[in-house]
Amino acid sequence: MATPPPPHGPHPYAQPYGPPPVGSHPPPPTAPHPQQPADAHPQPPVGPYDPRPGQPPPYPYDRQPPLHPHPYPHPQPYAADPGCRLCGARPAVQATVRGHQGLFLLMRFLSRSGMFCRSCGLATYREMSANTLWQGWWSPLSVAITPVTLLMNLGPRSRFRKLAAPVGGFGPSLDPGRSLLRRPVALLFLVPMALVVLAIPTLFVLGAFVEGAGIGQSPTLAIGDCVRNEGDWKDQDLEIVDCGSADAEYKVTRRLNTSKDVCADGELLADLTYSPDRMTISCLAPAR
């Protein structure tokens, strides 16, 4: 009669909590931990593992894995957003606001960079732009640099206005105050600019009026007119006067229409600007 195979396991007939079977070898003693005294008792395993008889634990007793591998097992809500640099509120955006000062022969380029919330960003933009409006014109190059600086600040301003209202933070947010065009310093810039804009068409109108009225133009001399020269003969300034008055110095006697025509002896030549076609020369004889 065949003998049945024994049950599985190294000690099939051992009691679960009794002494080890005869002939079995006890497990070798483990070396004490470097920081643990030699006579100290080994610590029970830490963790969710519950050892069973005859099965070694997955980790040595002195090398149990930590319960939480990361000191912050749950993600922090604002770990990626440092907040506003002035008040700590969120949401915030990275931006650079610029300013300019003209100091006659010197210039100063100003800037503030960092994370800004909506309120602090608008307050910084309006303050630096308002100061630039009245401080940025007092040097030759600043006349061109100041408009460029104001245009560059429009980019950060647009980013600030897209943010939601700031929340949280370690302090109160800055007050944006009045808009840039409603501040008194902006009027110091807008009033002169408005005068310049109005002066340009005014000058065109005055120029057309002066040209139509003949003001400032040289008079056209006709034969028989008497003139008085207010300048020298290299830079003539002839003015038509009454021939019977004491101011009459010269009288127009003829025009040189061809290259063969010449003035008589003792006569002077009038400038071409006083002829009708600006091409012929008039002869001027002394009136007395």
Side-chain angles (χ1 to χ4, degrees):
M1 183 176 181
T3 303
H8 295 284
H11 306 288
Y13 302 103
Q15 298 297 327
Y17 296 100
V22 179
S24 62
H25 299 282
T30 58
H33 193 269
Q35 299 181 358
Q36 185 177 2
D39 57 349
H41 297 284
Q43 299 294 329
V46 180
Y49 176 74
D50 184 13
R52 295 183 179 180
Q55 296 184 5
Y59 296 93
Y61 294 153
D62 57 341
R63 299 181 185 177
Q64 290 296 319
L67 296 179
H68 300 291
H70 196 275
Y72 300 100
H74 303 287
Q76 301 300 313
Y78 298 108
D81 186 0
C84 178
R85 64 186 292 256
L86 300 177
C87 67
R90 300 175 178 86
V93 65
Q94 176 72 29
T96 300
V97 184
R98 306 181 186 277
H100 183 74
Q101 292 179 349
L103 306 174
F104 297 100
L105 299 179
L106 302 177
M107 296 181 297
R108 291 184 63 190
F109 295 87
L110 309 175
S111 64
R112 295 181 186 176
S113 302
M115 302 291 293
F116 294 93
C117 65
R118 176 186 174 90
S119 299
C120 295
L122 291 177
T124 304
Y125 156 75
R126 292 174 181 178
E127 176 189 358
M128 298 193 68
S129 297
N131 292 337
T132 303
L133 281 176
W134 71 274
Q135 296 176 355
W137 307 97
W138 311 114
S139 70
L141 294 179
S142 296
V143 177
I145 297 175
T146 295
V148 175
T149 302
L150 297 174
L151 291 176
M152 293 177 66
N153 283 343
L154 295 180
R157 171 183 175 271
S158 177
R159 301 177 65 185
F160 297 149
R161 293 176 62 90
K162 294 179 181 179
L163 294 176
V167 294
F170 51 78
S173 302
L174 298 181
D175 183 11
R178 294 184 178 181
S179 61
L180 184 60
L181 298 181
R182 296 178 58 188
R183 301 194 176 197
V185 292
L187 298 179
L188 298 176
F189 167 75
L190 294 179
V191 171
M193 291 300 297
L195 294 178
V196 171
V197 172
L198 294 177
I200 294 176
T202 302
L203 292 177
F204 279 106
V205 172
L206 291 177
F209 173 76
V210 169
E211 184 178 359
I215 301 175
Q217 295 181 354
S218 301
T220 301
L221 300 181
I223 297 176
D225 289 341
C226 295
V227 297
R228 175 182 176 85
N229 186 18
E230 299 293 342
D232 54 21
W233 287 105
K234 292 182 180 181
D235 187 12
Q236 298 178 10
D237 185 9
L238 302 180
E239 180 182 357
I240 299 177
V241 297
D242 187 6
C243 293
S245 64
D247 294 334
E249 296 179 345
Y250 303 96
K251 186 175 183 178
V252 181
T253 57
R254 70 174 75 180
R255 286 199 182 96
L256 304 180
N257 296 321
T258 63
S259 59
K260 296 181 180 181
D261 295 339
V262 294
C263 294
D265 294 340
E267 294 182 344
L268 302 176
L269 303 178
D271 196 90
L272 293 176
T273 58
Y274 296 98
S275 63
D277 55 2
R278 304 294 190 269
M279 295 179 64
T280 57
I281 299 176
S282 299
C283 299
L284 302 177
R288 298 180 181 83

